[in-house]
Amino acid sequence: MFEILIAAIVTILIVIELQILFEREVSVRSACAALGFMAFLLLAAIANWELELFSQKLASEFAYDVYKGQESLRDNSTFLLQAIVGAPAFMLTDVWWAAIGTNIAIVSGVFYFVHKRSPRLSLLMLAPAVVNFCMFALRDPIIAVNAFIVTYLFANTEQAGAIGKQLGAVSLFAFIRPENLAVFAYAKLMTIFYQYNRNFLIYLCLPVFLGALVGVASFAPNLVGTESTSVSDLPDAAAEFYENRANRVDEANGGGSNILGGRLPGLPIYLRYPIQLVSFFILPLPFEIKHLGLALAFLDSIVFCAVAYRGHRTGSPKALVVFWVYVLIVAFFSNNYGNVFRLRLPAYFILLAGFLRASTVDQNLKLKQS
């Protein structure tokens, strides 16, 4: 417990100090709000750690071993960025669970960044999924914060120096999820198309891209390390590749939190994919709620749908392009509610970046008119 607290305090000081250096100004009010938000997350995380309300995930043990030089990245390089980000906490505490404090601190750093520009928007970070994943020593908060940075840069209306920053931010994904490079590279391509045609090309090119992706995968099933005899097998092949690359094993084998209780793979792809898309927004279905974790996931689904709906009305259009590219591609890999719940976390931060960009544009317009 003490290690989590120390890691959070040290990391939040580093994160806020970096923002002050780049922006050359400080907001005491936002700093206090961020510390209050961090205290709330710490209470939730420490309570979960002590009472074991939800079983603690042990993924950061690998990142800690990478930091200590006890693990090779030859077979799995996706923990490298987590090891780098968590280095101050690991150095001070010498325990892997200090990564919980690091996750809490970097999310609180985003809270500071958003609160400084729009206190109202910072309240979105109280979403159940955000609070949930700050209670564990997982990489997901780091991935989500990175998604926020990339989207905020993608939605930039001022192009001077933006391309270099965007490339730098996207390249960070190579240290976490190499396949995200393809997702955000395509999202960038769509934002470029958006500048020339704000409706037609976006919705035309995305289905063409997805169709091409399915076609290429159907002719090269060995690339994902499984045998595939038809297009309908591709989501399973892709999901298996996704899991194997992360060295995970699905022990549920059709039960637990698998979509439709494991019956999804038996459906043809033209039925599977729409179900997977719906499951990205609503998980699980009400009749599939079997325990507290699934009930909380369903509650989060209601919040997520409301945030996504609002994002389509008031968010940055470029951020919405990134959002839908992410959703449509990630849904293709979805077969388990637990994985979908984790992969949905970056979508919150993508929408948040879109809200923030739109809010900044509105404020600038009001200043020019006055």
Side-chain angles (χ1 to χ4, degrees):
M1 181 177 73
F2 179 73
E3 294 88 354
I4 297 173
L5 179 62
I6 290 295
I9 293 174
V10 171
T11 306
I12 190 66
L13 291 176
I14 294 173
V15 171
I16 292 182
E17 178 63 24
L18 286 174
Q19 292 187 47
I20 293 172
L21 289 174
F22 278 106
E23 298 178 351
R24 298 184 180 181
E25 61 179 2
V26 60
S27 171
V28 176
R29 178 186 176 190
S30 295
C32 292
L35 291 174
F37 176 72
M38 188 179 78
F40 165 72
L41 295 179
L42 279 170
L43 286 174
I46 291 173
N48 185 65
W49 178 265
E50 295 293 334
L51 302 177
E52 296 185 354
L53 302 174
F54 299 97
S55 59
Q56 185 59 236
K57 312 300 187 297
L58 308 180
S60 283
E61 282 187 299
F62 195 97
Y64 175 73
D65 290 339
V66 169
Y67 165 77
K68 299 287 286 186
Q70 299 172 357
E71 285 286 352
S72 170
L73 293 176
R74 182 179 302 173
D75 298 323
N76 193 329
S77 62
T78 61
F79 289 88
L80 179 57
L81 185 59
Q82 187 183 14
I84 295 172
V85 173
F90 294 149
M91 179 179 65
L92 287 172
T93 64
D94 203 30
V95 293
W96 66 266
W97 57 84
I100 300 174
T102 298
N103 288 344
I104 289 172
I106 63 170
V107 172
S108 299
V110 174
F111 187 96
Y112 170 83
F113 183 86
V114 176
H115 188 278
K116 183 181 174 187
R117 290 156 177 81
S118 175
R120 178 175 56 86
L121 287 177
S122 64
L123 296 177
L124 289 178
M125 300 194 69
L126 293 171
V130 178
V131 176
N132 177 280
F133 283 101
C134 283
M135 300 191 320
F136 305 103
L138 294 168
R139 291 166 291 166
D140 300 272
I142 298 176
I143 296 172
V145 169
N146 208 341
F148 173 85
I149 295 171
V150 171
T151 306
Y152 189 75
L153 293 173
F154 275 10
N156 185 15
T157 56
E158 300 175 0
Q159 294 302 315
I163 298 298
K165 294 178 182 178
Q166 291 167 4
L167 289 174
V170 173
S171 65
L172 289 176
F173 273 116
F175 293 110
I176 311 177
R177 298 262 189 233
E179 60 272 25
N180 278 342
L181 285 172
V183 174
F184 282 91
Y186 186 70
K188 177 59 181 176
L189 178 63
M190 290 295 96
T191 59
I192 293 174
F193 283 151
Y194 171 82
Q195 296 176 9
Y196 299 99
N197 189 311
R198 301 193 174 193
N199 292 305
F200 180 73
L201 280 176
I202 295 298
Y203 297 104
L204 172 65
C205 292
L206 189 54
V208 170
F209 167 77
L210 292 173
L213 178 66
V214 170
V216 170
S218 64
F219 285 105
N222 292 331
L223 292 178
V224 294
T226 60
E227 295 183 1
S228 178
T229 57
S230 70
V231 173
S232 63
D233 295 331
L234 291 176
D236 283 339
E240 183 175 338
F241 165 72
Y242 197 84
E243 294 296 322
N244 288 340
R245 190 198 55 72
N247 291 334
R248 299 192 190 116
V249 178
D250 182 9
E251 298 177 353
N253 202 20
S257 61
N258 283 358
I259 296 175
L260 295 182
R263 298 189 299 274
L264 187 64
L267 300 176
I269 193 169
Y270 56 82
L271 291 178
R272 286 195 63 178
Y273 191 50
I275 293 174
Q276 288 169 304
L277 284 174
V278 171
S279 297
F280 192 92
F281 291 87
I282 303 175
L283 62 95
L285 297 174
F287 61 85
E288 295 179 303
I289 298 176
K290 301 176 181 179
H291 50 74
L292 179 60
L294 290 177
L296 292 176
F298 181 74
L299 174 63
D300 180 75
S301 296
I302 298 174
V303 177
F304 181 72
C305 288
V307 173
Y309 173 77
R310 192 65 182 174
H312 283 74
R313 293 181 62 88
T314 62
S316 163
K318 286 186 178 181
L320 286 178
V321 172
V322 178
F323 172 79
W324 276 109
V325 169
Y326 181 82
V327 170
L328 290 169
I329 294 178
V330 166
F332 188 77
F333 295 90
S334 305
N335 60 6
N336 180 280
Y337 287 131
N339 283 337
V340 177
F341 188 46
R342 294 182 63 183
L343 295 171
R344 194 167 71 181
L345 181 65
Y348 267 109
F349 284 76
I350 290 172
L351 290 168
L352 179 61
F355 283 126
L356 192 59
R357 274 299 184 194
S359 174
T360 302
V361 171
D362 288 342
Q363 290 175 7
N364 291 338
L365 287 175
K366 291 178 181 178
L367 288 174
K368 290 180 179 178
Q369 291 174 355
S370 60

